[in-house]
Each structure stands twice: as structure tokens, then as C-alpha cells.
Amino acid sequence: MNIVMNVFNFFIDAGPTVMLPVIITIIGMIFGLKISRAFKSGLTLGIGFAGIKLILDFMTTNVGPAAKAMVDRTGVQLDALDVGWGSIAAVTWASPIIALLIFAILIVNIIMLILKRTQTLDVDIWNYHHMAIVGVMVYFVTKNVALGVGASVVMAVVTFKLSDWSQPLVEDFFGIPGVSLPTVSALSSLVIAWPLNWLLDRIPLFRNSTFTIKDAQKYLGFFGDSMIMGGVIGIAIGFLAGYDIKAVLQLGVSMSAVLVLIPKMTSLFMEGLMPISDAAQKWSQKKFKGRRLFIGLDAAVVVGNPDVITTALIIIPLTIATALVLPGNRVLPFADLAVVPFRVAMVVALTRGNLLKNIIIGLVVTASLLWCGSATSPILTEIAKQVGIDLGSSSMLISSFAATSMIQSYLVFLAFTYNPLIGIPVLLLAFGGVWYFFEGIKKINRESVVEQH
């Protein structure tokens, strides 16, 4: 036992760039990959983490002081820098309990499939980090492994059920049959969008709106490029910080570089995990023959939809404006502005492209991201420091539009950290009610409609 603990502690002390390749290699071999291919996948992830760390260090060195100067000069208290979902994913995969959380999520999916409580076969192992980060943060706050694992398990159950319930949207609107999207960053918006869309449908102005996506597309284009967006944001921050013109331009170029480089580094994570996902898919298909399953894929398969992109390009500047005026917000939107399409994709499908409803729902979703991100930014910052990310001496906090900034992730985190004896039962009862609505009441309504015809 001592030997096992010594080996475990050795890899923890060696840091995430060493620990990640080991964890991923083991997972790959369990799913049947050859050790050489599994190790290459793990090494690719380690390289991706090293790249993310370098970019994050670069970003905090450049934007951190500028953001602080902007806050001091303008009085706008936005002291939590949005460092992007990729950085948060890197923090998640570097956690000492990540292997435990990943296996727990995988086992939950398998058990639910066996018990026929989900149709989603989630082979998108990369995006397990959205479910795992909640467990990581709960563990950090409570120092209780069981609570950390429990939080990720609840996140998994919620995610697989949301995937099942939203699958008709993926099939009908995006035209992708047999696929569901268990990507928390895309599903999270539906928690707000479903009830809000029901409410807006009761208001003639929104229900009968004829303002279409095509009406808006002609006004957008050049400024939708992430490179340009980064430059504009950097220049704006530089001016508000009181920098001279040379420093303003340097900051603009630096921010353009960050928004271009972060996706390239995070693509290494997906490249490394792709063989693992493929092996997991083959393994699962062998175990569940004869069932109609939805293959759970990354929401990236739908965010290229023109209606989604156009809606996102409208929401992005409104997100920045909202951050400046929203009471209680501390988050300075930056890196995750590039992934706003993920946050609005399922909203667009739900409203069937009703642009006016998309904007209203999108702004409410944005406000929730900013509030929840503000509330949990101190915890996220401390976790990042613990896994070896140097945040400099600017005293800036970090946040993103991922992790516990997303509404269901925040609610699960809150239930497991704030008086768990009360919070967890309340959360489970509330989710049980939602489950009954979707699979009980809605099923009865569908059957009655069929009988009438």
C-alpha cells in the first residue's frame, strides 16, 4: 500500500504535465488501445496543457495589469478575468482526483444505459471535464472526496438526461439524426431557455416576431473574426487603462494572439482524446447491441450553423455591455467570447431561429454566467494556483463562461458545498420533478395528440 501511495504522490508532485500522460495512457489501455497509441494520446494532452499554461501566463502578464489599471481608472469593478474554457479544462485535468471523477462519470453512463434510464452513449470523453470540474471544486472546498465524486455523478445524470430530452432539437433543427449533445456548455442554456421560451410564447410581440437571422447577417462579418475581436477588446482595455498609443497597440496584438493561440492549444486536448473516444465508442457498441442509442458528440458539430453564428455575433457585444452594467458582476469577458456560439446553439434550435427570442434568452443566459462566474472566481483562482499556474502579482482573479459559471453546474456546486444535508435533497427533488415532467407529463401529452389524429 505504501508503494502505491508513494507512486501516486510522485506523479502528483511531478505536476500535471507528467500526470496527464500517465492517466490518459491508463484510460486508453482500459478501452483496448495499444500502449504506444494510448501513451501518444496522453503525451499530446500533456503538451496541450503546457501550451495552455504558457498562453495563460502570457495573458495574465499582459492583460492582468491593464485590466487592473482600467478598474482603478474607471471605477468598474471587473477584477475576474475570463481566461477561457480551455484554461479551466486544463486546470480540471490537472486535478489529483481527476481519474476518479472520469471513471465515475463513465460508470454512471454505463449503469444508466444498462437500466435504460438514458439513450445517450457519451463517447465525447474530452467534454467530461465540464462534469468533472464541479467535483474538483466541491472537493477543493470541502476536502471530502465522496462529496466531490457525488457532485460529478449528479452532474453526469443531469447531463445525460438533458441530452436525451434535447435530442429532438438536434435531429429536427440541425438535421443530425441519432446524435445527442452531452456538452454541458451547450446544454446549460436550456435550463434557462426552456421556461423562458414558454413565457415569451405567451407574449405576442415575441411569438409573432418576423425579424429573422438573415435580416441581421448583412450587418455582421469582419468583426466576427476572433482575431479582430481580440484586437478590438485589447485596444479598448488599453485606452480605458490610460496607456499610451504604443502600449495600446501592443496590448491589442497580444490579445489577438491569445484568441488565436488558445483554440490551437485546446485542439491538442481534443486530438489527444480522439483515439480514446473512438475506442470507448467501439467498446460500448459491443456491449449494447440491438438498442437505439444516441451517440453523444461534442456540440462543435452544430455551432457552425449560420443561424447560430449570426446570433452569437449579436450576443457578443451585448455580453460586454452587460458585464459593464450588471450589478454584482466581477467578470471581465474575454477569452470565452469566442465560444458564445456554444452557449446559444441550443437556444436557436429551441426557438427555431426566432431572433428576438434568441437575443432575450441569450442575455438572460449571459447574466447568469456573469453572476455565477463572479461568485465562484475566488475558488477557481485558488485551484489554478494549486495546479501550478502562475497568475502573477496583478491580484486579478480568473473565471470563464465554463466551470461553475454555468447555471446547473453552479446549482450542483452550491448544493454540495452549502449545507449539503439540506442542499443535496432539495436539488435531487427538484431534478426529480423535472424528470417527471419530461418523461411523464410530456409523454402523456404526446400520446393524447397521436390518439386525436
Side-chain angles (χ1 to χ4, degrees):
M1 187 65 181
N2 287 335
I3 295 175
V4 173
M5 288 305 299
N6 288 337
V7 171
F8 185 70
N9 289 330
F10 169 80
F11 285 112
I12 291 177
D13 293 340
T17 51
V18 174
M19 189 169 68
L20 265 178
V22 174
I23 291 172
I24 298 303
T25 300
I26 294 171
I27 292 174
M29 290 173 65
I30 288 173
F31 284 124
L33 287 180
K34 292 181 179 178
I35 186 170
S36 57
R37 197 175 183 198
F39 178 71
K40 187 176 179 181
S41 291
L43 189 58
T44 303
L45 255 74
I47 293 168
F49 178 82
I52 285 285
K53 186 175 181 298
L54 288 172
I55 295 169
L56 188 53
D57 291 346
F58 173 77
M59 181 163 58
T60 52
T61 300
N62 285 273
V63 138
K68 187 175 186 303
M70 180 188 73
V71 168
D72 293 341
R73 193 163 179 263
T74 63
V76 176
Q77 296 299 315
L78 302 182
D79 60 346
L81 178 63
D82 161 26
V83 297
W85 67 270
S87 302
I88 304 308
V91 169
T92 307
W93 284 99
S95 166
I97 65 167
I98 186 61
L100 193 59
L101 299 179
I102 295 302
F103 280 117
I105 293 167
L106 179 62
I107 290 168
V108 166
N109 193 197
I110 293 170
I111 290 173
M112 290 181 70
L113 285 166
I114 292 171
L115 297 177
K116 298 184 179 181
R117 290 295 178 264
T118 183
Q119 291 177 271
T120 293
L121 170 60
D122 189 359
V123 299
D124 183 22
I125 291 179
W126 159 243
N127 276 312
Y128 279 21
H129 73 85
H130 285 302
M131 295 174 267
I133 184 60
V134 182
V136 170
M137 292 182 68
V138 168
Y139 170 69
F140 179 81
V141 172
T142 65
K143 308 302 180 188
N144 187 310
V145 175
L147 284 176
V149 173
S152 286
V153 165
V154 170
M155 278 298 301
V157 174
V158 171
T159 300
F160 300 142
K161 293 312 299 179
L162 287 175
S163 300
D164 290 343
W165 298 331
S166 62
Q167 195 277 335
L169 298 177
V170 179
E171 188 159 334
D172 297 341
F173 186 81
F174 295 113
I176 310 177
V179 167
S180 64
L181 306 178
T183 310
V184 178
S185 57
L187 293 175
S188 61
S189 301
L190 286 175
V191 177
I192 291 172
W194 266 320
L196 189 52
N197 182 62
W198 179 88
L199 178 63
L200 293 175
D201 273 340
R202 270 70 192 158
I203 304 173
L205 172 65
F206 297 103
R207 184 179 64 245
N208 302 325
S209 172
T210 58
F211 185 52
T212 66
I213 298 290
K214 289 182 180 179
D215 293 330
Q217 283 173 341
K218 57 186 176 183
Y219 299 110
L220 302 168
F222 176 75
F223 290 101
D225 189 293
S226 60
M227 184 187 301
I228 304 302
M229 187 165 46
V232 170
I233 293 171
I235 288 170
I237 291 174
F239 273 121
L240 291 173
Y243 284 8
D244 59 39
I245 188 64
K246 182 176 73 174
V248 166
L249 294 175
Q250 288 174 339
L251 186 62
V253 173
S254 296
M255 294 304 95
S256 289
V258 167
L259 286 195
V260 170
L261 291 174
I262 278 184
K264 293 184 182 301
M265 289 300 102
T266 52
S267 69
L268 287 174
F269 278 78
M270 286 181 273
E271 179 185 332
L273 281 169
M274 189 60 69
I276 310 290
S277 292
D278 290 342
Q281 183 173 350
K282 292 175 183 176
W283 179 88
S284 301
Q285 285 174 342
K286 288 180 182 177
K287 301 295 181 182
F288 299 101
K289 290 180 180 178
R291 289 266 304 275
R292 185 181 183 245
L293 300 180
F294 305 138
I295 301 301
L297 299 180
D298 190 315
V301 298
V302 300
V303 297
N305 179 280
D307 290 1
V308 173
I309 294 296
T310 302
T311 301
L313 292 179
I314 295 170
I315 294 294
I316 285 169
L318 294 177
T319 296
I320 299 171
T322 301
L324 294 173
V325 300
L326 187 68
N329 174 51
R330 302 174 68 178
V331 177
L332 175 63
F334 177 60
D336 268 346
L337 291 173
V339 295
V340 167
F342 282 82
R343 305 303 182 270
V344 301
M346 298 306 290
V347 175
V348 172
L350 179 66
T351 67
R352 306 202 65 80
N354 184 315
L355 189 56
L356 195 55
K357 288 204 290 186
N358 290 346
I359 293 171
I360 297 299
I361 296 172
L363 287 176
V364 176
V365 169
T366 294
S368 73
L369 290 167
L370 294 171
W371 272 325
C372 297
S374 297
T376 54
S377 58
I379 299 167
L380 203 55
T381 304
E382 289 304 313
I383 295 175
K385 289 177 180 177
Q386 279 202 358
V387 300
I389 293 178
D390 181 11
L391 300 177
S393 57
S394 64
S395 74
M396 287 289 291
L397 301 173
I398 66 168
S399 187
S400 84
F401 287 175
T404 43
S405 296
M406 298 180 289
I407 186 66
Q408 82 273 38
S409 303
Y410 178 73
L411 292 174
V412 172
F413 169 77
L414 205 61
F416 276 80
T417 54
Y418 185 75
N419 202 338
L421 291 177
I422 296 176
I424 295 173
V426 169
L427 175 72
L428 295 178
L429 283 172
F431 181 63
V434 174
W435 192 324
Y436 174 71
F437 171 77
F438 275 100
E439 299 201 355
I441 296 175
K442 290 197 77 172
K443 181 180 179 182
I444 292 170
N445 290 340
R446 283 196 302 270
E447 289 174 349
S448 65
V449 170
V450 171
E451 287 175 3
Q452 288 171 10
H453 287 77

